[in-house]
Amino acid sequence: MFPSPHRPLRVASRWALAGFSAVTVTFTLAYGAVPAAVASTVSHVRVHRSIQPRPRHGQPKPIGGPLINHGGPVQSAPRVFVDFWDWTSDPSGEHAYLDRFLSSLGGTPWLATVNQYGGGSSENLLAGTWSDPSPIPATPTDAQIQAEAKAAAIHFGTGNSANVQIVVATPTGHSTSGFGTQYCAYHGVVASDPDVTYTDLPYMTDAGSACGEDSVNGANGKLDGVSIVEGHELAEAITDPLLNAWYDAGGNEIGDKCAWFDLANIATVAGTFPVQPLWSNAANGCVLSSGGGTAPYQVAFEANTTSLWTEGTDGRGPWNLGMMAGTNPSVARLDDGGEEVAFQANTGSLWTVGADGHGPWNLGMMAGTSPSIAALAGGGYEVAFQANTGDLWTVGTAGNRNWGLGMMKGTSPAITGLTNGSYEVAFQANTSSLWTVGSDNHGAWNLGMNTTSSPAIAALAGGGYEVAFEANTTSLWTVGSAGNRNWSLGMMKGTSPAITGLTNGSYEVAFQANTTSLWTVGSDSHGAWNLGMMNTSSPAITSLSNGGYEVAFEANTTSLWTVGNAGNRNWSLGMYKGTSPSITS
């Protein structure tokens, strides 16, 4: 009886192929040891977790601790190509099953879990298949699998794209050594073409129960392991394609942390398929679904009673904490679950409430200003605000700091958590010039802002950030990593835009136009929503975990509205006139 597969190894090695130059290869094994055909050529092995057999009774437990961003790229728009290498027979019907699974998985709440790490999960995931008639060795080595992946990339004409995945599906009886006893599948990088991630996907039913057969659907589940194992590899290749992006302190990727735990069927447009859960930093655990609800976000705002309200997925209602009249709260979804809200209390002190606890920071804020809060990639949050001295302050998990930089009196800073784990703050200086400070510490942009308006800043999925602000000309501007641009769109004087980084790597901006209508512009460029906003208030925007975005704003009726990809909704909750909400996914 085959031992059950379990934990990953990461391997780097060099070897040459006939017709190919020597290459360096790095890969991760889903769920097992290094195949013997590979181990014999390994020049350096880096083991992140020890190999453990699957428990004989019960199921493995999830591996705790957050996934950590190590700075490498993710697949924000993944394109999967399957190479069925020399399939002269298919006794279990795996070819058609795999086609249905991959062609219907995009856009599902299950795959949407990758979005929180900057990965993409849109529809049309399966970009092509190929039945390569070239003869396959009886036991192909990993080097031969790589060569076949390279040949498939050439066949499909994928070009140089970090979003490409080549799945080399080997036929029955032709698996790399160690299949079923040491591993079920693994993904890696064709180092001679480092933009191509490949997966060695053996004929799963050859391994029987060792690789998932009948594990969910009993006697009807012969093909269960096909979708369980390929789903595992797909999610890992999206979030850690070059093995230098998202994995935890022990080297475990998004699938490894939940391997063989709580297996279940999920629904797609092509039917149901068994999968394993994926690790969610947002939920601090293994989940089978992310986003996709009627309100996959949380909104914070000041009610007419001047009490803080949060409404949405967590639906907590009033916090019964007095806010400074006319100010605005800020809310951030924490990586370890729940949300945290920052606001100015009636005492003028900064307060934070939420999953990480309640309490005043005992730091005086400039009367009438608002704080900004951002979740940090490594956990916790950081708050930016204007102190009574007019100086910019940041306080929170990353530490308290007076930046010693004067702000335009009465304006508010914006803060975003960067993908490298730190943060960046944007604000209007006393000179009315836009400034950004933080880990990147760029200083003055030498761009004039409209007096009394405030900028917005968002981290981009691919790294860096983008700032949106109202220029002295009242035109909307965006500046930062994605480039500087005058959108040539008039804003309501004295209002501020909002910006969010989308999971596809770009961004979307929401603002109040001179017509008092809500506008969104950016990669999706939707234009006017034809919804009236309260004069001089500002909208908020957030990227949703299942793709797209949602905007929150105060309507002319002073009711809270949210509009966007999750649907339009009047929350029928009165807002304090002239204030603005905050929204987070």
Side-chain angles (χ1 to χ4, degrees):
M1 181 176 178
F2 290 122
S4 295
H6 200 51
R7 300 285 185 253
L9 288 178
R10 289 176 180 247
V11 180
S13 66
R14 292 179 61 84
W15 59 106
L17 297 172
F20 290 87
S21 59
V23 295
T24 299
V25 179
T26 306
F27 59 88
T28 183
L29 302 179
Y31 324 116
V34 187
V38 176
S40 63
T41 64
V42 169
S43 61
H44 173 68
V45 177
R46 180 160 56 96
V47 180
H48 285 291
R49 285 191 69 85
S50 61
I51 303 302
Q52 301 174 2
R54 185 181 178 188
R56 290 181 179 272
H57 303 286
Q59 64 178 344
K61 295 181 179 180
I63 302 171
L67 292 175
I68 301 167
N69 184 6
H70 292 81
V74 297
Q75 294 190 336
S76 59
R79 300 164 63 225
V80 182
F81 298 87
V82 183
D83 174 3
F84 293 97
W85 187 10
D86 194 20
W87 281 46
T88 57
S89 66
D90 182 10
S92 298
E94 292 194 18
H95 190 315
Y97 182 89
L98 187 62
D99 282 352
R100 291 197 308 273
F101 177 62
L102 289 175
S103 63
S104 64
L105 195 60
T108 61
W110 179 80
L111 191 58
T113 302
V114 305
N115 296 156
Q116 65 186 271
Y117 309 109
S121 61
S122 61
E123 297 179 7
N124 303 317
L125 188 72
L126 183 59
T129 63
W130 177 38
S131 295
D132 182 5
S134 301
I136 186 172
T139 306
T141 65
D142 182 70
Q144 290 168 327
I145 296 292
Q146 292 176 61
E148 180 65 15
K150 177 73 172 180
I154 294 171
H155 169 81
F156 289 116
T158 59
N160 294 320
S161 172
N163 285 311
V164 170
Q165 291 188 37
I166 303 293
V167 177
V168 179
T170 56
T172 181
H174 293 268
S175 302
T176 304
S177 179
F179 169 59
T181 58
Q182 297 172 291
Y183 75 98
C184 288
Y186 60 84
H187 73 93
V189 181
V190 178
S192 62
D193 190 349
D195 291 322
V196 177
T197 287
Y198 74 98
T199 295
D200 183 350
L201 187 72
Y203 199 80
M204 211 56 54
T205 53
D206 282 358
S209 61
C211 289
E213 183 176 316
D214 298 334
S215 58
V216 176
N217 294 304
N220 296 319
K222 185 175 181 64
L223 297 173
D224 285 357
V226 178
S227 52
I228 293 169
V229 174
E230 169 53 22
H232 173 114
E233 292 304 321
L234 171 70
E236 291 188 340
I238 291 173
T239 55
D240 193 25
L242 305 186
L243 307 185
N244 58 0
W246 289 93
Y247 52 90
D248 71 9
N252 302 289
E253 297 172 309
I254 189 173
D256 301 325
K257 294 172 71 63
C258 307
W260 303 112
F261 173 74
D262 275 359
L263 305 176
N265 287 316
I266 61 167
T268 77
V269 295
T272 59
F273 296 91
V275 295
Q276 64 157 79
L278 299 175
W279 181 267
S280 168
N281 277 355
N284 192 31
C286 298
V287 300
L288 284 164
S289 175
S290 290
T294 56
Y297 53 83
Q298 195 77 1
V299 183
F301 66 99
E302 179 186 7
N304 282 331
T305 59
T306 71
S307 180
L308 171 69
W309 267 76
T310 52
E311 194 75 34
T313 309
D314 294 344
R316 299 190 179 183
W319 284 91
N320 298 319
L321 298 162
M323 290 182 63
M324 176 71 69
T327 61
N328 306 311
S330 186
V331 63
R333 181 72 70 185
L334 301 177
D335 282 347
D336 53 0
E339 84 274 345
E340 196 77 6
V341 184
F343 68 98
Q344 182 174 179
N346 284 329
T347 60
S349 181
L350 170 69
W351 268 74
T352 50
V353 295
D356 279 4
H358 309 178
W361 284 89
N362 298 317
L363 296 163
M365 291 181 63
M366 176 69 69
T369 61
S370 302
S372 182
I373 190 170
L376 300 179
Y381 60 87
E382 196 76 4
V383 183
F385 68 99
Q386 182 176 177
N388 283 329
T389 60
D391 272 337
L392 170 69
W393 268 78
T394 51
V395 295
T397 309
N400 300 3
R401 177 169 180 181
N402 178 355
W403 286 87
L405 297 164
M407 293 181 63
M408 176 69 71
K409 189 174 181 180
T411 60
S412 302
I415 188 171
T416 191
L418 299 179
T419 55
N420 63 11
S422 54
Y423 61 86
E424 195 78 6
V425 184
F427 68 99
Q428 181 175 180
N430 283 329
T431 59
S432 77
S433 181
L434 171 69
W435 269 74
T436 51
V437 294
S439 63
D440 289 349
N441 200 22
H442 290 297
W445 283 89
N446 298 318
L447 296 163
M449 293 183 62
N450 200 64
T451 303
T452 75
S453 66
S454 300
I457 188 169
L460 301 178
Y465 59 85
E466 197 76 4
V467 183
F469 68 99
E470 180 187 6
N472 283 331
T473 59
T474 73
S475 182
L476 171 70
W477 269 77
T478 51
V479 295
S481 305
N484 301 4
R485 177 170 180 179
N486 178 354
W487 286 89
S488 301
L489 297 164
M491 292 183 61
M492 178 66 70
K493 188 173 182 180
T495 61
S496 300
I499 188 170
T500 190
L502 300 180
T503 55
N504 64 12
S506 56
Y507 61 86
E508 195 78 5
V509 184
F511 68 98
Q512 182 175 177
N514 284 331
T515 59
T516 73
S517 181
L518 170 69
W519 268 77
T520 52
V521 294
S523 62
D524 290 348
S525 194
H526 289 296
W529 283 90
N530 298 317
L531 297 162
M533 291 182 63
M534 178 65 69
N535 194 23
T536 73
S537 65
S538 302
I541 188 171
T542 191
S543 176
L544 299 181
S545 59
N546 60 344
Y549 62 86
E550 195 78 2
V551 184
F553 68 98
E554 180 188 8
N556 284 328
T557 59
T558 74
S559 183
L560 171 70
W561 268 79
T562 52
V563 296
N565 296 93
N568 301 4
R569 179 172 178 183
N570 178 354
W571 287 88
S572 301
L573 298 162
M575 291 183 63
Y576 196 93
K577 189 175 182 178
T579 61
S580 301
S582 178
I583 188 171
T584 189
S585 61

